[in-house]
Amino acid sequence: MSPKDAERYDPRAMEPHWQKLWEERGSFTVADTDSREKYYVLEMFPYPSGRIHMGHVRNYAMGDVVARFMRAKGYNVLHPMGWDAFGMPAENAAMQNKVHPKKWTYDNIAAMRTQLKAMGLSIDWSREFATCDVEYYHQQQKLFLDFWAAGLVTRKKSRVNWDPVDQTVLANEQVIDGRGWRSGALVEQKELTQWFFKITDFADDLLSAIDTLADWPEKVRLMQRNWLGKSEGLLVRWQIVEGTAPEDVTELETYTTRPDTLFGASFMAVAPTHPLATLAAAKNPGIAAFIERCRHIGTSLAALETAEKQGIDTGIRVRHPFDPEWELPVYVANYVLMEYGTGAIFGCPSADQRDLDFVHRYALPVVAVVLPEGADAASFVIADEAFVGPGTMINSRFLDGLTTKAAFEEVANELAKVEVNGRPQAERRVNYRLRDWGVSRQRYWGCPIPIIHCKTHGEVPVPDADLPVRLPDDVTFDRPGNPLDRHEGFVNVKCPICHQPARRETDTMDTFVDSSWYFVRFTAPRAKTPTEPKTANAWLPVNQYIGGVEHAILHLLYARFFTRAMRLTGHLNVSEPFKGMFTQGMVTHETYKGADGRWLFAEEVDLAAIPPTHRQNGEKVTIGSIESMSKSKKNVVDPDAIVAAYGADTARWFMLSDSPPERDVQWTEAGIDGAWRFVQRVWRIAVDCARPATADRRADRSSFDAPALTRATHRAVARVGQAIETLRFNVAVAHIYELANVLAKALAAVESGEAMPEERAALALAARVLVQLIGPMMPHLGETCWRALGEKGLLADAPWPLADPSMLSDEMIVLPVQVNGKRRGEISVAQGAPQAEIEALALSLEPVSRILAGRPPRKLIVVPDRIVNVVV
RNA sequence: GCGGGCGUGGCGGAACGGUAGACGCACGGGACUUAAAAUCCCGGGAGGGUUUCCUCAUGCAGGUUCGACUCCUGCCGCCCGCACCA
């Protein structure tokens, strides 16, 4: 090893050293009782897939910067970590590799814990838990029963999305383009009795409270609003013409947001699964056949896009609410959804494109009822395009001439007055797209639902003394389906009430349940109750939550629901779980494809060759698009390899540099090399600053502007702090580079010569601050430099430096001078110089006086400390 | 279809309405070295002018303003979310 090498910073030696020290000292163990203000920062906890990926590195690096920064700012910071450990991959592994899900999961956790610890995160590991720990799901079962007692849990028969590959039920949210979100299999419709959380009870509050989430991305708030899908309309009850409907049904309820278009109605339509359709089908094989066809169309995107609007006349007729003589036909239509509204609509083809498409096929009348602004009433017709906008009512009897809005009110008011069968003919109704959350999963590796089914007593909660309902270990995965179903010891129990033989519920909970309250559990992870309400209330809400945008709807909505349900059941008393939310971008990488179109690993490609070729077979390689890292595209970079080669600090620094955190960042060799160079550069600066200056002062040594260096130092403190507070890590990194550059230049000036006392003070301050500023991002390097600079104690315990506001700007200010908004020169003035002096200087500037040519300026604008603009 | 976001050098990107291109990457030149690596220094939006200068430049076209990457209007392009929601 050459002497130069000895001066290199070696992360492989230093990183484990500091990690051990932090752990021994319990540096990041946080106490609930602490007089300092609390700050709770949380990154979405990982699924223990086996190895961490670069997305984790980015996510946890960001969270750690916030955590360490806030700690240094004097807050009592809670920064925990756990494992979202239930779920299907463990069972898939069990089936494929004959390894028990429990062993697979805990082995993975152990491996990933080691990896995360190697990143040097400031995590309070004493609070760690996995959702598959009995202690955790025990408390979750208690929550379930509390929700059940509070009426927030129901069991209902429902048509569910059935994943034929995973052999399980999926929530609507887990069906993407008609396919299972995990297996990708085409989802089938199936009738099953399922457990539901009544998230719709909170629909109104979940929607209105979005307005209070000021520190959430607007995008996420919008996605949540859309998902809740509030609409305000009218429930209209239509009288069925006597004798036209089977079983003496007398009424058909429809939901509409456009009651103003009631006189444009030309038909009624019910969903294929609507009870009236079922009744009609029983009498009419043609209708039955049509409904059967609808069942098979499926819900895939392609099917929906190509599906024509189709229907069949049931023969049933209804009377128009405003005209008993006016009868309309009732169709079964394939585009009406049972799940939304009442599953029945009135069709107004002139004001709804779908209805228009429908009537074109069945030759029903089209009556224009809304006249767009500026259109001519005499010539206005609806051809192929419905007019859905606002306008003036026409062809609508007593509504004619009203605006659509006024017509809405008129219809609502008039129909409310009419009573039929003791009920008003129409009522205002708020409707949500949101449906109750089906949590039943026919799987083994999840939290058992603590219910016993008794022939006499129905659904009986497992008594508290009998909790937890443990997952049995002796299960087999040689057949598809739920192993719990065929585990006699698990299933056969006695009814807690009558002690007769009964059957234990074998459904387990959706893993989204596990992740809906883990952030609460972190506040009291070992409590014998789900929470310690006082402790939970003190820590919550999470001040800053950081994670992927893919969880912007489901996870966040469920967590918001849980917070409300837990408040209702007395487990905590906060209104929202996450005060601040940040969605980070993905880590991307170039892709490579061989001549045969196969994806290739970067290591297989000789990129130096022109064109790039395959290292083994010499074939030409195509450089593909930049995509998010995925195993299937072979464009992954293993964090372990990076940490081994460069150290965690380098990886963290790169993940925080350059790209704004909400955008995707591209992984490149050059980028990681650049980060590595900066690590070494900081180390050299620290070493040079720590080295005692040589005794004899060289006469020819250059000097530097010490006050300027000190001002630059203060500016860096202010700017970096501000950037971190607003989570703009790339900007913080840039400001750190600036300080490092200025400092390095100053150092070079006094190299091998003795610095003047004021110079030495400026250098020492700058070096100390630089180390403090990099601390949150590169904590190991920070500690090493901290010690090299002779500081006592740990950087992790050092308070954040304070910027002196009076030091933030230079004494002499360079003011740009514009003529008509175009820069023509600059003047140098003292800070706070009188306006007259600035004006005189600006006007005497050569280019300015030349353009003015003796004339006085029309206007002279001086923005203090910013700019001068001369208007000619 | 509905909703949202984004368009700035070769690249990632900076810029309270106030000097556009901070900072990094890549590139070119130089120093050190027998050499390489490492490191350090210098350079750079485009076009023109013999240096200290001018013109044009933040997707396009307008507007507001003393002054616009930033605000407004209309286009074009890309990305994302939702989608037969009555």
Side-chain angles (χ1 to χ4, degrees):
Chain A
M1 193 187 262
S2 74
K4 282 264 178 191
D5 284 341
E7 288 184 13
R8 275 201 155 197
Y9 173 69
D10 181 10
R12 269 170 298 195
M14 297 317 296
E15 291 187 351
H17 169 78
W18 294 115
Q19 285 159 18
K20 189 159 159 271
L21 207 64
W22 291 327
E23 187 156 351
E24 283 168 6
R25 298 208 183 170
S27 289
F28 309 118
T29 306
V30 60
D32 299 326
T33 49
D34 195 306
S35 58
R36 295 171 301 167
E37 198 179 333
K38 71 96 181 177
Y39 192 90
Y40 187 176
V41 55
L42 183 68
E43 302 93 70
M44 289 180 182
F45 68 162
Y47 177 79
S49 56
R51 306 192 65 74
I52 65 168
H53 52 70
M54 277 302 166
H56 291 126
V57 175
R58 196 178 189 202
N59 192 188
Y60 300 128
M62 288 180 193
D64 203 41
V65 171
V66 175
R68 287 177 180 271
F69 174 74
M70 293 309 285
R71 242 176 77 79
K73 288 283 254 185
Y75 288 83
N76 188 34
V77 173
L78 174 57
H79 186 213
M81 181 60 73
W83 310 94
D84 188 12
F86 273 136
M88 296 269 310
E91 283 187 65
N92 292 340
M95 286 182 267
Q96 281 157 27
N97 311 326
K98 306 258 183 280
V99 54
H100 195 280
K102 188 189 249 179
K103 177 173 167 44
W104 184 86
T105 302
Y106 282 105
D107 284 353
N108 285 349
I109 288 173
M112 289 175 74
R113 185 191 297 115
T114 304
Q115 289 185 297
L116 285 185
K117 286 196 171 178
M119 281 183 64
L121 305 171
S122 63
I123 281 168
D124 180 355
W125 285 101
S126 75
R127 292 172 185 255
E128 176 193 0
F129 62 78
T131 57
C132 64
D133 293 346
V134 179
E135 294 76 18
Y136 184 79
Y137 72 71
H138 178 184
Q139 303 305 325
Q140 187 162 303
Q141 289 171 346
K142 286 192 203 168
L143 284 179
F144 181 95
L145 292 176
D146 284 354
F147 290 4
W148 189 81
L152 291 172
V153 180
T154 57
R155 193 159 180 262
K156 54 189 178 189
K157 212 168 188 194
S158 73
R159 266 156 40 90
V160 296
N161 305 300
W162 180 257
D163 187 319
V165 171
D166 286 347
Q167 298 240 332
T168 189
V169 168
L170 299 175
N172 288 317
E173 295 87 327
Q174 292 165 345
V175 180
I176 294 147
D177 294 345
R179 290 176 182 274
W181 72 302
R182 196 178 277 283
S183 72
L186 274 174
V187 168
E188 297 169 0
Q189 304 294 308
K190 199 169 169 177
E191 282 251 309
L192 271 183
T193 306
Q194 299 285 307
W195 290 97
F196 285 86
F197 283 151
K198 291 166 77 176
I199 188 170
T200 52
D201 281 10
F202 296 100
D204 218 12
D205 187 43
L206 286 169
L207 180 69
S208 59
I210 291 174
D211 295 336
T212 69
L213 301 173
D215 299 333
W216 282 38
E218 185 55 34
K219 178 185 176 172
V220 174
R221 303 202 300 169
L222 237 127
M223 283 161 81
Q224 295 243 329
R225 280 197 196 97
N226 291 341
W227 193 262
L228 293 163
K230 182 179 184 173
S231 73
E232 293 175 48
L234 216 57
L235 179 80
V236 183
R237 302 190 173 92
W238 303 65
Q239 293 302 112
I240 292 177
V241 177
E242 304 71 32
T244 60
E247 313 276 336
D248 300 325
V249 180
T250 60
E251 232 177 59
L252 178 61
E253 288 190 340
T254 62
Y255 176 73
T256 180
T257 54
R258 294 296 301 276
D260 48 302
T261 65
L262 204 55
F263 288 104
S266 60
F267 67 98
M268 313 296 292
V270 300
T273 48
H274 192 278
L276 201 56
T278 313
L279 286 177
K283 299 244 166 113
N284 182 330
I287 297 172
F290 175 77
I291 293 171
E292 188 58 23
R293 274 209 307 284
C294 292
R295 254 170 51 82
H296 288 293
I297 285 177
T299 52
S300 76
L301 187 66
L304 283 176
E305 271 180 351
T306 54
E308 275 185 85
K309 306 281 176 285
Q310 286 184 31
I312 186 165
D313 189 352
T314 59
I316 304 168
R317 296 293 178 267
V318 299
R319 297 186 197 285
H320 195 279
F322 287 115
D323 184 352
E325 302 301 309
W326 183 354
E327 296 186 3
L328 295 106
V330 179
Y331 280 74
V332 178
N334 63 351
Y335 68 96
V336 178
L337 305 174
M338 193 58 219
E339 294 82 1
Y340 187 79
T342 61
I345 60 161
F346 77 82
C348 177
S350 64
D352 186 296
Q353 190 60 44
R354 293 157 303 176
D355 297 342
L356 187 63
D357 294 344
F358 186 80
V359 301
H360 278 158
R361 194 179 170 100
Y362 297 100
L364 291 156
V366 178
V367 178
V369 286
V370 180
L371 187 68
E373 198 184 334
D376 174 36
S379 60
F380 181 69
V381 284
I382 296 287
D384 290 332
E385 225 171 292
F387 176 68
V388 299
T392 309
M393 304 312 300
I394 52 172
N395 303 322
S396 296
R397 308 192 191 183
F398 64 94
L399 299 177
D400 282 351
L402 296 178
T403 62
T404 40
K405 200 167 175 233
F408 183 117
E409 295 302 316
E410 186 70 13
V411 169
N413 293 338
E414 288 303 310
L415 287 183
K417 292 179 196 161
V418 186
E419 287 221 348
V420 179
N421 301 335
R423 289 189 301 178
Q425 191 150 22
E427 293 172 50
R428 286 172 200 269
R429 175 74 58 95
V430 172
N431 209 8
Y432 288 92
R433 205 184 78 106
L434 179 75
R435 275 163 266 163
D436 280 332
W437 174 15
V439 295
S440 283
R441 296 293 180 270
Q442 289 66 44
R443 307 300 315 180
Y444 165 75
W445 196 231
C447 172
I449 292 175
I451 294 282
I452 290 165
H453 299 282
C454 170
K455 282 201 182 77
T456 316
H457 297 96
E459 296 147 10
V460 181
V462 173
D464 196 57
D466 294 346
L467 291 178
V469 177
R470 286 169 187 271
L471 282 175
D473 287 336
D474 52 335
V475 286
T476 53
F477 296 91
D478 45 1
R479 281 175 285 165
N482 184 354
L484 293 176
D485 276 336
R486 45 181 193 263
H487 192 290
E488 298 299 319
F490 181 81
V491 170
N492 296 318
V493 288
K494 293 225 158 66
C495 169
I497 300 170
C498 64
H499 306 291
Q500 294 303 301
R503 230 184 118 74
R504 188 188 296 286
E505 173 64 62
T506 57
D507 284 354
T508 53
M509 294 182 214
D510 180 5
T511 56
F512 274 103
V513 176
D514 312 335
S515 55
S516 291
W517 72 289
Y518 77 103
F519 51 90
V520 184
R521 186 68 183 167
F522 277 137
T523 64
R526 313 289 171 233
K528 298 293 180 203
T529 47
T531 70
E532 285 168 7
K534 269 189 185 162
T535 315
N537 295 338
W539 279 115
L540 292 170
V542 173
N543 294 76
Q544 187 61 59
Y545 198 31
I546 307 175
V549 72
E550 67 273 18
H551 293 115
I553 297 177
L554 304 187
H555 164 58
L556 294 179
L557 194 63
Y558 293 153
R560 296 182 63 217
F561 159 72
F562 248 75
T563 303
R564 284 158 175 77
M566 288 175 79
R567 179 155 78 165
L568 193 71
T569 49
H571 293 287
L572 49 72
N573 190 24
V574 294
S575 48
E576 283 287 342
F578 312 118
K579 183 176 180 298
M581 172 70 220
F582 187 84
T583 52
Q584 109 233 15
M586 293 181 300
V587 183
T588 64
H589 193 278
E590 255 179 356
T591 54
Y592 311 98
K593 271 189 176 180
D596 53 0
R598 273 182 10 259
W599 300 103
L600 298 173
F601 288 109
E603 304 88 81
E604 297 179 277
V605 183
D606 182 2
L607 289 167
I610 301 170
T613 52
H614 194 288
R615 282 190 199 280
Q616 256 78 55
N617 58 28
E619 275 174 8
K620 196 180 150 213
V621 170
T622 318
I623 296 184
S625 53
I626 295 158
E627 309 237 21
S628 63
M629 287 188 180
S630 81
K631 279 180 196 150
S632 62
K633 291 177 195 133
K634 299 193 173 178
N635 63 341
V636 287
V637 174
D638 183 16
D640 262 2
I642 297 301
V643 170
Y646 298 94
D649 285 339
T650 302
R652 292 168 58 129
W653 182 257
F654 177 38
M655 285 291 91
L656 297 165
S657 312
D658 296 348
S659 281
E662 69 277 10
R663 283 197 218 168
D664 290 353
V665 63
Q666 191 190 344
W667 182 276
T668 59
E669 275 296 305
I672 191 74
D673 283 343
W676 169 252
R677 278 200 297 275
F678 185 65
V679 167
Q680 297 301 338
R681 188 151 177 250
V682 171
W683 174 241
R684 278 195 306 275
I685 290 173
V687 168
D688 286 349
C689 284
R691 192 163 24 217
T694 48
D696 54 348
R697 183 180 166 190
R698 272 179 21 201
D700 62 339
R701 104 163 162 60
S702 49
S703 63
F704 67 91
D705 185 349
L709 174 62
T710 302
R711 282 194 299 272
T713 303
H714 282 272
R715 264 202 302 272
V717 170
R719 288 177 178 171
V720 170
Q722 203 182 15
I724 293 177
E725 271 163 20
T726 50
L727 308 179
R728 295 160 56 207
F729 305 113
N730 58 321
V731 179
V733 162
H735 291 312
I736 291 174
Y737 271 116
E738 274 179 287
L739 178 61
N741 289 344
V742 176
L743 174 53
K745 265 208 164 74
L747 258 177
V750 297
E751 202 175 36
S752 72
E754 186 182 294
M756 304 294 283
E758 72 271 19
E759 288 176 336
R760 202 176 308 165
L763 286 172
L765 177 71
R768 189 174 187 275
V769 163
L770 175 66
V771 169
Q772 286 182 289
L773 296 185
I774 63 154
M777 301 172 187
M778 302 195 283
H780 314 88
L781 176 66
E783 294 288 4
T784 313
C785 294
W786 192 245
R787 198 176 54 182
L789 291 174
E791 297 287 347
K792 304 282 175 249
L794 291 178
L795 174 60
D797 297 326
W800 193 252
L802 278 175
D804 181 347
S806 70
M807 298 291 280
L808 294 184
S809 55
D810 294 326
E811 284 150 11
M812 291 303 284
I813 297 175
V814 175
L815 279 185
V817 177
Q818 298 181 329
V819 177
N820 290 342
K822 189 155 285 195
R823 186 182 167 281
R824 295 292 173 181
E826 54 191 35
I827 54 174
S828 204
V829 295
Q831 199 190 335
Q835 179 140 343
E837 183 193 328
I838 295 171
E839 287 179 3
L841 269 170
L843 290 176
S844 66
L845 213 60
E846 194 278 325
V848 177
S849 58
R850 175 158 46 79
I851 295 169
L852 280 173
R855 290 164 300 173
R858 272 206 293 174
K859 210 168 174 184
L860 198 53
I861 291 155
V862 179
V863 183
D865 295 351
R866 283 239 91 107
I867 204 163
V868 180
N869 193 10
V870 183
V871 185
V872 185

